[in-house]
Amino acid sequence: MAAKQGKAHCLVLAYPAQGHVNPILQFCKRLEFHNVKVTFVTTRSFWKQATITDDSIKSADSIALEAISDGYDEGADPDVKKSKTYSERFWQAGPPTLCELLDKLFSNGLPVDCVIYDSFLPWALDVAKRFGIFVAAFLTQPCFVNSVYFHLHQGILKLPVIKESKILLPGLPELEPSDLPSFLYLHYGMFPIFWDLLVEPFDSIEKAGCLISNTVYELEPEVVDWMRKMWPVKTIGPAVPSMFLDKRIQHDHNYGISMFQPNKDLYMNWLHHKPQASVVYVSFGSITTLSEDQIEEIAWGLGLSGNYFLWAVRESEQAKLPKNIQEIVSDKGLIVAWCDQLTVLSHEAVGCFVTHCGWNSTLEALSFGVPMIGVPNWSDQPTNLKYIVDVWKVGLRASMDEKGILKREKLKRCINEVMESERGKELKSNAVKWMNLVKSSMDEEGSSDKNITEFVAMISK
Ligand code: UDP
């Protein structure tokens, strides 16, 4: 069915979290660049918290913004969002409000040709099918992580995972249990919601006409090739603003929608006055919470390393900073509540990234050639770290002690190794090699660019 004005019209639905909205909205911008009309949808509760930071999104002829309900329209506590209660309520409120939205668009003369749903929201597939619309799933995690969940879904990987076992899956390196997504081993039994968001989607995924994955083919070709034997997978990453990659979308400088507001002048002025590759950037993403003990150890590790450091500690975490934090920070460090991570990571003063290994952060560091020190916390982060350290060889693992705490001495040693040693130079040179591969995937005729063009052709018929 052709949309009004001859353009194909996609409704794109994102799970309400920064790490989902960022890549999915970026993909929307790529679709729009290819002359597709886009309606971007997330939940009312997310819109309540978020600010639009990209002026082009506000313009009337740009991406249309819409909302559905997750059952928590006034906002959900971060802890609630990790609970089964959240998915249960969302699974009830989501489908009827998505139906209402589709009805509204059709009756306003804006028929939808394609629904792209975040794989975390598998019920959207059935809703779209009821309207007879072509459906594609958007996978926000790498294919090697999806492969783990698929094998769990198929019963090939069984829970609980035995401590000494080795996990062998097609196209993946041999994994230790601790390399698995945390829900399968480290946090086994603690977050039942993971099944609804990460495993249940495989009940119906084969009904999707396309699986769009925010990854780069060259980063994990074996797994992608294996997946393509079953499903029409299109790798389209890194879903990072165009002006950091191919520069073909002139206004695309930032992700565009943010739950937190940075004080950009403060840290950019600070960064501009630092020598090349002299700063350690530290961030644990938009969700991770750390214990007071862990935050204190990190603070001391950074202070003792003797390097400059820029540390993003979300406002909700700042009360956990040690009382003598100013003494530790001295004239070497700067703590901010949030930053525009893309601008920071792409700044020449940054020499190393201490990260929780969230997939967006990992792809961003790979895109800018920044070596990493991995401090995984939960979800897919341990598996991403396995690839960072052993497959791409662009980072170090900062191991925790028996209580699960990264100690100050260990962090200090890792930082010194990345910033000052021969090993650090090797990591940097590998990071630059991967940066070139990752960036070229988005250039005209690069692997991701070709897949995006093919997808647009598929929905524009
Ligand atoms: N981010 C940011 N500023 C910060 C911390 C994070 O802009 O101070 C962005 C980062 O660029 C990434 C996203 O938030 O795009 C976090 O996603 P990721 O998958 O790395 O982690 P999550 O927050 O989902 O755990």
Side-chain angles (χ1 to χ4, degrees), residues 17-20 22-23 140 239 255 258 260 262 267 281-288 311-314 336-342 345 353 355-364 378-381 384:
Q18 193 73 57
H20 288 242
N22 284 0
T140 52
Y255 279 123
S258 186
F260 310 97
Y267 58 81
Y281 168 59
V282 190
S283 166
F284 298 95
S286 63
I287 303 170
T288 292
W311 187 6
V313 183
R314 295 192 315 278
V336 294
W338 188 254
C339 69
D340 176 352
Q341 184 161 293
L342 295 164
L345 280 176
F353 180 19
T355 171
H356 69 315
C357 307
W359 182 234
N360 294 294
S361 295
T362 303
L363 271 181
E364 291 160 12
W378 77 325
S379 190
D380 58 336
Q381 296 154 17
N384 300 340

Side-chain angles (χ1 to χ4, degrees), residues 82 141 144-146 148-149 152 157 159-161 167 175-195 198-199 287-288 356-357 375-386 397 400:
K82 292 179 181 167
Q141 297 187 332
F144 56 79
V145 168
N146 286 307
V148 171
Y149 288 125
L152 185 63
L157 193 59
L159 294 182
V161 175
I167 294 102
L175 301 180
E176 304 283 339
S178 56
D179 298 324
L180 289 169
S182 73
F183 308 124
L184 278 61
Y185 186 69
L186 190 66
H187 295 136
Y188 175 62
M190 286 163 69
F191 297 100
I193 191 178
F194 100 92
W195 196 270
L198 291 150
V199 187
I287 303 170
T288 292
H356 69 315
C357 307
V375 189
N377 186 262
W378 77 325
S379 190
D380 58 336
Q381 296 154 17
T383 323
N384 300 340
L385 177 62
K386 169 75 183 167
R397 179 188 301 273
M400 324 249 165

